[in-house]
Amino acid sequence: MNELLQYDGSFNGFLTAVFDVYAHKLKNPIIQKTSLAQDQLFGEMQTIITDQDKADRVFKKLKKLCGSNDFNQFYRAFLSEISGIENTLLDYCRITFKNGTSPSGDYGNITVLKMSQAAKMVGREKHRMEAFIRFHLIEEDVYYANCEPDFNVLPLISKHFKNRYADQKWIIYDLNRDYGISYDLEKVDEVTIQFNDPRAQRGIMNTGVVEESRFRESENNYRDLWNQYFKSTNIESRKNMKLHLQHVPKRYWKYLSEKVA
Amino acid sequence: MNHERIKEKLEILADAAKYDVSCSSSGSKRQNKNKGLGDSTGMGICHSYTEDGRCVSLLKILLTNVCIFDCAYCVTRKSNDIKRAAFTVQEVVDLTINFYRRNYIEGLFLSSGIFKSPDATMERLVRVAKKLREEENFNGYIHLKSIPGASDELMREAGLYADRLSVNIEIPTKAGLKLLAPDKDHKDFIQPMKAVKNSIDLYKSEKKIIKSTPVYAPAGQSTQMIVGATGESDRDVMYSANFFYNKFNMKRVYYSGYIPVADDSRLPALGTEVPMMRENRLYQTDWLLRFYGFDVREILNDQHQNLDMDIDPKLSWALRNLDQFPVDINKADKRMLARIPGVGMKSVHKIISARRYRKLGWEHLKAIGISMNRGKYFITCDSREFERRDLTGIQIKNQILLSGASKYSKNFTNQLSLF
Ligand code: SF4
């Protein structure tokens, strides 16, 4: 009989679950986010309460055995939120703890291959967000951007934006996961914003009506200039929309200023 | 700032600059300093893609499209009856900074028509870069075009502010250049390349002695060749490229299929199709030289002067060298693995890493992501099944073309997803 462990979705919550699997010598646990709640299928169900201390112990041991490269892959794969990824990662922990070292580069092993594929997908999404974030200067001299990444990549991009935009305040908000990262010229913090209009507030959405008055005139001008640049730099005789869509999938368009109709 | 006027200039001067295909913004080492704006230590980012599928990473514009020269292949040529415009130095600076702050771009790619003399033009380009660095504390990427014929002194100054310098050789053969740009001298292209290479070498050696020596064009130099304008062979093109890579330490050579922009009897007629497939094959060849350890003479030589259009150059090479196959996946060295059709460099690394744990069979190779459609004819692995070994090159080629028809009839591009 499988045992279902439900955790809160955080990385520490997951590591706590791994700790409990070992503490209680569970044979075939399934680790799953509480929000997925499929409990009726399982005989036993247990709620994991995130415990910083337990999480730290798993984290330290894993990191020591893995080295930072493999650990990074592990973390990235976790951020993919792909269904079942927790159990792939649990298997990865088992192999690592059993051998006293991570199965680095053993691509003939399905667990390793799955993890590296998930990590790769997250890596690509991280890169896309670094590319497709579009800031808008809003009233308070803050550059603001909305996004809806496929995977939970904000923790991975904050350093990039901090290094690049060291002299301007900015906020990047993930509307799907309802949290953002905010830089105040000193450090980056996680923030949650209470929107009146939950999806469209402040960031530009290219679908539906864009309230032009939301921005200052100069802001609209720069968006307009960027739009013009995008049009002028295209070479009509080489047009290849299939390729274009491959690079800029449609689901990203609504936040791209150059894609304003 | 008069919005409508700026917009019009942008329309004209971005349109005129778009034929320059270099877009890379990687390879620099300019870290954000003093909490300024920008950072160019990364791999460079394509922030968008044009509808023709090319990466948009830099604000690529001309300072002006006024030009005193009359090169036949160029839209900006003197005799072309088009609207002319010019940005002021400050306008370019403002656009760059404001686009950068919104995360539209990685930096600036600035080129220009030659409006008075090569030196006057170059001096103005340098002024933009200097202002960005010194007044705006901008650490984003700057690529300046070297104007053929500009003085060494200006080239030296340019390299202090720019991450990359480039001068376009434009036409791969001397004879072709003479035909299409009679007032330009081959030497005028080579001279700035030499000057830049010498300065890079000089600053590198000084850097070893004095730590505070400024960086000089940290991302190096690149050049571009137009192909298909003068009937040159692929061998001519790639031998020139090879020469630039070796002689001037070029970071990149770009190949740009000629887009007819002039009604001129010396050139392919207006409306002639852009040779996109050929361009793609040249890029693939370029990759084989830079990353796969091939010598240009293995791919192009007297017997084989032009690349095949229906198959990629690595497959084409393999079919001409069947005696070197099949390769044993579990034993072969890196160099030989990299020569297997359908196996990219990433797969090579995965194979080497994975075979430390176990012998690899077909299933493993498939899972790793090798293109079996091409690879299977050239591989042995830990499995008793194998392809028939008595096929001729032509038979293999036909089977591959039949089985992968869609792959080869797909549209092509220079954003590579190769081998
Ligand atoms: S000098 Fe440059 S800009 Fe002027 S016509 Fe020749 S290629 Fe064009």
Side-chain angles (χ1 to χ4, degrees):
Chain A
M1 167 92 43
N2 289 331
E3 188 153 8
L4 180 66
L5 306 185
Q6 296 201 320
Y7 74 108
D8 61 5
S10 70
F11 190 52
N12 280 333
F14 168 66
L15 294 178
T16 305
V18 173
F19 185 95
D20 284 357
V21 167
Y22 275 86
H24 302 128
K25 299 203 172 67
L26 302 180
K27 285 267 166 349
N28 294 306
I30 290 184
I31 306 178
Q32 207 170 58
K33 255 182 277 189
T34 312
S35 55
L36 291 177
Q38 289 188 334
D39 45 0
Q40 65 275 31
L41 293 175
F42 298 92
E44 291 198 48
M45 193 186 93
Q46 195 189 319
T47 302
I48 300 293
I49 297 162
T50 301
D51 180 324
Q52 188 66 43
D53 188 49
K54 291 178 181 174
D56 273 350
R57 284 168 63 185
V58 176
F59 169 83
K60 283 212 182 93
K61 179 144 183 222
L62 193 59
K63 178 122 193 217
K64 188 168 144 244
L65 298 178
C66 279
S68 49
N69 257 345
D70 287 349
F71 186 79
N72 253 333
Q73 294 255 314
F74 184 89
Y75 181 50
R76 283 185 178 202
F78 174 79
L79 294 176
S80 74
E81 301 173 337
I82 292 171
S83 118
I85 193 69
E86 291 92 345
N87 276 74
T88 302
L89 295 177
L90 176 64
D91 283 344
Y92 192 86
C93 290
R94 282 184 161 146
I95 301 171
T96 304
F97 294 155
K98 188 166 142 243
N99 297 345
T101 176
S102 61
S104 187
D106 182 9
Y107 299 110
N109 177 322
I110 191 72
T111 298
V112 178
L113 198 64
K114 263 195 198 157
M115 182 179 101
S116 98
Q117 280 162 350
K120 196 170 149 198
M121 283 156 67
V122 172
R124 186 186 309 142
E125 190 69 355
K126 165 187 188 282
H127 194 74
R128 276 186 171 150
M129 281 305 119
E130 286 169 358
F132 295 160
I133 287 295
R134 296 284 180 267
F135 285 123
H136 305 273
L137 185 57
I138 56 176
E139 264 53 64
E140 308 84 1
D141 280 335
V142 173
Y143 286 83
Y144 180 88
N146 276 336
C147 61
E148 293 178 52
D150 288 353
F151 309 116
N152 183 18
V153 295
L154 291 196
L156 299 176
I157 64 174
S158 80
K159 191 165 156 233
H160 170 86
F161 283 97
K162 180 170 182 259
N163 286 344
R164 173 164 299 209
Y165 299 107
D167 73 339
Q168 70 190 43
K169 293 184 197 162
W170 50 259
I171 295 171
I172 300 171
Y173 206 80
D174 182 340
L175 287 172
N176 276 341
R177 293 167 188 83
D178 198 22
Y179 82 104
I181 47 177
S182 149
Y183 172 72
D184 63 358
L185 301 182
E186 291 297 328
K187 56 187 186 335
V188 181
D189 286 314
E190 267 189 40
V191 291
T192 320
I193 301 176
Q194 297 276 311
F195 294 111
N196 299 329
D197 166 7
R199 296 237 125 194
Q201 185 74 1
R202 282 187 159 162
I204 168 201
M205 296 255 287
N206 294 331
T207 49
V209 191
V210 177
E211 289 168 56
E212 292 299 324
S213 61
R214 187 179 289 160
F215 302 113
R216 323 166 183 197
E217 191 191 343
S218 64
E219 190 56 24
N220 284 322
N221 285 347
Y222 280 117
R223 278 176 43 208
D224 188 43
L225 288 174
W226 172 240
N227 209 287
Q228 177 62 54
Y229 175 72
F230 184 74
K231 284 198 196 98
S232 306
T233 200
N234 181 44
I235 299 178
E236 195 57 38
S237 58
R238 299 180 55 128
K239 188 164 174 161
N240 182 347
M241 283 311 275
K242 200 173 145 208
L243 188 66
H244 175 68
L245 285 172
Q246 194 180 309
H247 289 308
V248 195
K250 269 223 168 99
R251 63 183 185 279
Y252 297 99
W253 285 19
K254 60 180 166 183
Y255 298 118
L256 293 175
S257 326
E258 66 269 27
K259 286 293 184 184
V260 179
Chain B
M1 188 160 107
N2 180 337
H3 180 65
E4 286 311 315
R5 180 70 192 122
I6 296 282
K7 190 172 169 182
E8 193 191 4
K9 288 187 187 182
L10 191 60
E11 184 180 355
I12 295 169
L13 296 169
D15 183 89
K18 71 189 178 189
Y19 299 97
D20 205 308
V21 294
S22 68
C23 73
S24 163
S25 51
S26 60
S28 199
K29 298 183 195 90
R30 194 175 299 276
Q31 240 167 27
N32 187 310
K33 40 172 205 274
N34 311 326
K35 281 214 165 184
L37 174 65
D39 193 68
S40 10
T41 47
M43 290 294 293
I45 295 174
C46 297
H47 285 275
S48 195
Y49 292 84
T50 55
E51 293 193 345
D52 58 53
R54 287 168 312 132
C55 155
V56 179
S57 84
L58 301 170
L59 170 62
K60 190 187 292 181
I61 47 174
L62 298 188
L63 192 57
T64 175
N65 66 339
V66 173
C67 192
I68 54 176
F69 285 75
D70 206 31
C71 309
Y73 48 81
C74 175
V75 259
T76 300
R77 70 188 182 280
K78 179 174 63 180
S79 63
N80 201 12
D81 183 19
I82 49 167
K83 261 197 195 166
R84 307 280 168 172
F87 278 123
T88 66
V89 169
Q90 191 60 46
E91 283 165 351
V92 177
V93 168
D94 286 344
L95 272 178
T96 307
I97 294 289
N98 279 291
F99 278 10
Y100 195 90
R101 286 200 181 285
R102 286 160 182 77
N103 205 41
Y104 296 162
I105 53 170
E106 292 290 285
L108 174 67
F109 177 114
L110 189 60
S111 177
S112 184
I114 302 176
F115 57 81
K116 216 156 95 194
S117 66
D119 270 359
T121 310
M122 195 68 215
E123 190 269 337
R124 194 80 59 94
L125 298 183
V126 171
R127 217 167 346 130
V128 172
K130 183 173 181 178
K131 198 159 195 171
L132 279 168
R133 295 288 188 227
E134 294 192 341
E135 289 174 29
E136 303 287 338
N137 196 5
F138 178 68
N139 304 296
Y141 195 88
I142 300 178
H143 179 155
L144 289 186
K145 214 75 220 205
S146 324
I147 303 300
S151 72
D152 287 2
E153 181 52 32
L154 278 166
M155 292 306 305
R156 199 189 55 77
E157 211 190 337
L160 292 176
Y161 305 114
D163 294 280
R164 175 167 286 179
L165 294 166
S166 69
V167 50
N168 286 353
I169 193 74
E170 304 293 11
I171 303 297
T173 60
K174 268 192 207 176
L177 186 69
K178 227 192 201 114
L179 179 72
L180 297 182
D183 19 66
K184 271 185 181 166
D185 192 340
H186 190 69
K187 281 201 291 278
D188 287 342
F189 298 95
I190 299 297
Q191 180 52 31
M193 287 185 192
K194 239 189 232 155
V196 170
K197 177 179 187 295
N198 289 342
S199 296
I200 290 176
D201 292 348
L202 181 75
Y203 276 84
K204 256 194 205 140
S205 62
E206 271 182 20
K207 188 112 201 148
K208 282 189 200 129
I209 308 165
I210 318 164
K211 273 260 167 56
S212 59
T213 303
V215 286
Y216 186 89
Q221 56 175 338
S222 63
T223 192
Q224 161 178 327
M225 284 186 263
I226 296 173
V227 296
T230 54
E232 69 291 319
S233 69
D234 291 334
R235 190 185 59 161
D236 292 336
V237 174
M238 288 316 303
Y239 280 33
S240 293
N242 197 50
F243 171 80
F244 294 123
Y245 279 127
N246 294 334
K247 193 87 182 166
F248 301 113
N249 286 337
M250 283 292 157
K251 277 280 158 53
R252 283 296 298 272
V253 176
Y254 293 90
Y255 311 89
S256 169
Y258 177 67
I259 300 166
V261 291
D263 201 3
D264 187 311
S265 61
R266 293 167 292 178
L267 286 163
L270 284 175
T272 305
E273 220 176 296
V274 183
M276 307 255 271
M277 176 66 92
R278 182 176 180 204
E279 191 185 284
N280 183 256
R281 294 286 180 239
L282 290 167
Y283 277 109
Q284 289 177 320
T285 308
D286 187 276
W287 276 57
L288 291 180
L289 304 188
R290 288 191 299 142
F291 302 121
Y292 285 73
F294 280 87
D295 185 292
V296 68
R297 285 163 303 193
E298 293 182 274
I299 302 170
L300 291 159
N301 45 51
D302 286 345
Q303 287 76 46
H304 196 73
Q305 302 204 7
N306 285 299
L307 299 166
D308 293 327
M309 288 300 116
D310 53 353
I311 53 173
D312 69 69
K314 191 157 94 174
L315 178 56
S316 168
W317 172 84
L319 292 175
R320 281 181 276 126
N321 292 276
L322 282 178
D323 56 309
Q324 308 211 24
F325 296 95
V327 168
D328 183 344
I329 285 288
N330 289 300
K331 291 207 186 98
D333 63 5
K334 190 170 154 192
R335 175 179 165 279
M336 230 20 242
L337 289 174
R339 289 179 171 236
I340 305 170
V343 177
M345 234 34 221
K346 278 196 183 133
S347 299
V348 169
H349 290 128
K350 279 202 169 139
I351 289 168
I352 291 176
S353 169
R355 73 187 183 187
R356 288 186 288 128
Y357 291 88
R358 75 199 70 209
K359 288 218 155 133
L360 305 178
W362 294 116
E363 285 313 310
H364 297 124
L365 296 180
K366 229 177 262 168
I368 280 172
I370 285 171
S371 162
M372 282 305 170
N373 168 36
R374 273 168 293 165
K376 65 182 175 194
Y377 303 96
F378 303 94
I379 291 172
T380 54
C381 58
D382 191 36
S383 165
R384 260 180 306 216
E385 293 163 53
F386 58 92
E387 283 298 314
R388 282 169 53 200
R389 293 292 163 218
D390 55 351
L391 297 175
T392 64
I394 292 184
Q395 286 169 321
I396 295 177
K397 176 171 162 177
N398 284 338
Q399 290 204 3
I400 291 175
L401 286 178
L402 275 177
S403 61
S406 64
K407 169 145 186 96
Y408 284 98
S409 55
K410 221 162 67 180
N411 277 318
F412 283 88
T413 160
N414 58 27
Q415 307 292 339
L416 303 171
S417 53
L418 292 185
F419 311 123

